Amino acid sequence: MSSGPAIETRGVTRVFESRKGFLFREKSRTEALKGVDLTVERGSIFGLLGPNGAGKTTLTKILSTLLLPTAGTALVLGHDVTRETDWLRPRMGLVLGGERGLYNRISARENLRYFADLYGVPPEARERRIDEVLERVGLIGPASDQRVEEFSRGMKQKLHIARGILHRPEILFLDEPTIGLDPKSARETRKLIRCLVTDGVTIFLTTHYMFEAEELCPKLAVLSKGRIVARDTVDGLRALVGGDRTFEAEAYGFEDEEVARLRAIPGVSKVVSESYGPTTRLTMRVRTTEATLDDVRSRLTGHPELSLRERRTSLEDVYLDLVEEEAR
Ligand SMILES: Nc1ncnc2c1ncn2[C@@H]1O[C@H](COP(=O)(O)OP(=O)(O)OP(=O)(O)O)[C@@H](O)[C@H]1O
Ligand SMILES: [Mg+2]
C-alpha cells in the first residue's frame, strides 16, 4: 500500500449559490466551507465534529468526489478528488445514510448485486462477497431476501454500510453512521467500524454523538461555520480548552463576586454559570492538579445547600467550549 496521508486538503472552499424568493429573483449565497486545511493519516478513524450546518456533509461529499470544491485542493490517497475520480472511486466508499440511495422494491441482496456490478466486483466473487458483507453488518438470514421497503431505519442503515464496503474500499466516508439507530444497533455499528480499521481501512466519520467520537476516534477535528477550529486528540483538545478537570458547584444562585473569587483560584481557567430552574450550576475548567474542591468551598460560604463535585472534562464539554468560542 502506498504511503503519505489518507487525506490532505488545502484551502478547500465551497460556495452554494441559489435563487429564492418571489420569482426566484433573490440570489442567496452560502459559503459552506471557508478554506479547510486538513491532514488525516492512514489506517485510523478520524472524526469530524461540528454543529448543524457547519459544513461536515459538504466536506465529506467533496472528499468522496460527489461534489466539486469551489476553490482549493483535496487529495485522497494521494490523488486529486477533482481530476483523478476514475482512480479514486473504486478505492473509496461513502455512506450518507438516510432513505435515499437504496432501491426499495427489491431485496437487500438484490440491491447489493446491483451495486456489486456497478462497482466492478468480479462476477465470480459477487455472491460470496455479498454474503460476507451481509454477515458483517448483521443482515444475513431471512432479512437479506426481504424487500427494503419493509426494513426499519436501522436495517436500512446497515444495508447502506454493507453497500459502502462491498467493493473493499481503502477509505470509507461515514456521515453520521449511527444516526437513528437504537443503542444495540449503534454499538454493533461502532464495533463493525473498529473491525474495518483493524483490516486496514481508513475511516473518516462525522457524528453528533460525543461519546461515539471519544470512543472511536484517536484524532478529531471540529468544524464550525466552514472552518476547522481545532484538530487534535481528545486529550489535546481538553488541554486546548483549558483543563482536564471540571468542577461543578450547585446552589440556589451565586453572587457575581463569588464567581469572580472562583475565577481567581490559580489553575481555574473558566467559570460558566447556567440556571436549572431554582438552582444555578457553576462549571469550572481546571488546568492544574493543585486546585481542589475545598478551594471552591471556602469561597462559597453561606450556601448550606451547596453541592460540589469533580469530574473529568468530557469531549462534550470541550466541543461546547470550542463552538461557543467561535460563536462569540
Ligand atoms: N445543495 C445546497 N445548496 C445550498 N446550500 C447548501 C447545499 N448543501 C449545503 N448547503 C448549505 O451549506 C451549509 C453546510 O451544510 P452541510 O450539510 O455541509 O452541514 P453539516 O455540517 O453536514 O450539518 P448537519 O450536522 O446538519 O448535517 C449549510 O448552511 C447548508 O444550508
Ligand atoms: Mg450533515
Side-chain angles (χ1 to χ4, degrees):
M1 203 188 277
S2 46
S3 58
I7 298 173
E8 200 165 23
T9 76
R10 289 289 166 263
V12 167
T13 299
R14 172 70 205 206
V15 177
F16 290 108
E17 273 173 347
S18 52
R19 289 179 174 276
K20 57 175 190 180
F22 182 63
L23 295 177
F24 298 100
R25 277 198 189 127
E26 270 173 70
K27 254 193 186 172
S28 90
R29 189 174 184 279
T30 309
E31 217 178 337
L33 297 173
K34 301 171 184 163
V36 170
D37 296 336
L38 193 64
T39 304
V40 173
E41 285 97 48
R42 288 187 197 234
S44 179
I45 311 181
F46 188 88
L48 184 67
L49 311 176
N52 292 132
K56 300 177 301 297
T57 299
T58 305
L59 183 60
T60 306
K61 284 184 176 170
I62 289 175
L63 294 174
S64 55
T65 79
L66 223 61
L67 194 69
L68 288 171
T70 309
T73 56
L75 302 182
V76 172
L77 307 172
H79 293 257
D80 190 296
V81 298
T82 60
R83 291 195 304 265
E84 296 173 272
T85 50
D86 288 349
W87 189 91
L88 277 169
R89 282 185 184 149
R91 293 171 174 83
M92 51 170 59
L94 169 67
V95 179
L96 287 175
E99 294 292 313
R100 291 167 62 186
L102 296 171
Y103 294 94
N104 277 319
R105 313 288 290 274
I106 56 176
S107 71
R109 185 180 292 279
E110 284 160 341
N111 264 276
L112 293 175
R113 276 186 194 131
Y114 169 80
F115 289 108
D117 294 342
L118 194 70
Y119 296 154
V121 173
E124 64 280 8
R126 194 179 72 175
E127 293 307 306
R128 204 170 359 104
R129 191 77 69 81
I130 289 173
D131 280 332
E132 188 186 296
V133 295
L134 285 169
E135 174 93 55
R136 284 203 96 158
V137 301
L139 282 179
I140 201 79
S144 58
D145 295 310
Q146 215 176 315
R147 275 149 66 118
V148 173
E149 63 190 357
E150 296 165 13
F151 273 21
S152 71
R153 196 164 167 182
M155 289 164 85
K156 281 186 189 164
Q157 185 64 359
K158 286 177 179 175
L159 184 56
H160 270 295
I161 296 176
R163 181 184 56 78
I165 59 176
L166 192 56
H167 56 303
R168 295 187 175 154
E170 279 179 52
I171 183 163
L172 186 61
F173 296 92
L174 300 171
D175 195 15
E176 302 190 44
T178 60
I179 191 168
L181 297 190
D182 66 49
K184 186 166 169 276
S185 302
R187 183 179 290 181
E188 282 164 8
T189 303
R190 287 196 292 275
K191 191 170 157 205
L192 168 67
I193 293 170
R194 276 195 298 270
C195 284
L196 290 169
V197 175
T198 315
D199 292 350
V201 181
T202 301
I203 297 195
F204 181 92
L205 74 84
T206 76
T207 181
H208 286 294
Y209 305 125
M210 296 301 133
F211 70 94
E212 178 166 290
E214 198 160 1
E215 184 186 313
L216 286 179
C217 310
K219 292 244 174 89
L220 299 154
V222 179
L223 191 67
S224 178
K225 297 182 187 153
R227 286 183 222 279
I228 302 281
V229 295
R231 181 195 179 284
D232 215 318
T233 57
V234 176
D235 284 338
L237 292 176
R238 274 195 197 99
L240 189 71
V241 300
D244 192 35
R245 302 164 73 209
T246 294
F247 291 170
E248 285 176 356
E250 248 177 77
Y252 298 128
F254 296 98
E255 303 296 327
D256 288 349
E257 313 76 275
E258 289 178 310
V259 175
R261 262 184 261 146
L262 295 179
R263 287 213 171 93
I265 300 174
V268 171
S269 61
K270 195 177 162 192
V271 183
V272 177
S273 169
E274 281 168 299
S275 295
Y276 295 92
T279 63
T280 301
R281 181 188 296 163
L282 299 177
T283 305
M284 290 151 262
R285 217 65 80 217
V286 186
R287 242 184 245 282
T288 58
T289 49
E290 284 85 64
T292 64
L293 287 182
D294 283 339
D295 295 331
V296 175
R297 200 185 316 274
S298 65
R299 285 161 175 85
L300 298 176
T301 50
H303 292 284
E305 78 288 13
L306 181 71
S307 92
L308 284 178
R309 71 182 191 115
E310 172 172 355
R311 59 178 174 81
R312 191 157 197 241
T313 304
S314 67
L315 181 60
E316 184 164 318
D317 296 321
V318 170
Y319 171 81
L320 291 173
D321 279 6
L322 287 167
V323 171
E324 275 164 19
E325 253 163 54
E326 266 312 285
R328 256 185 239 132

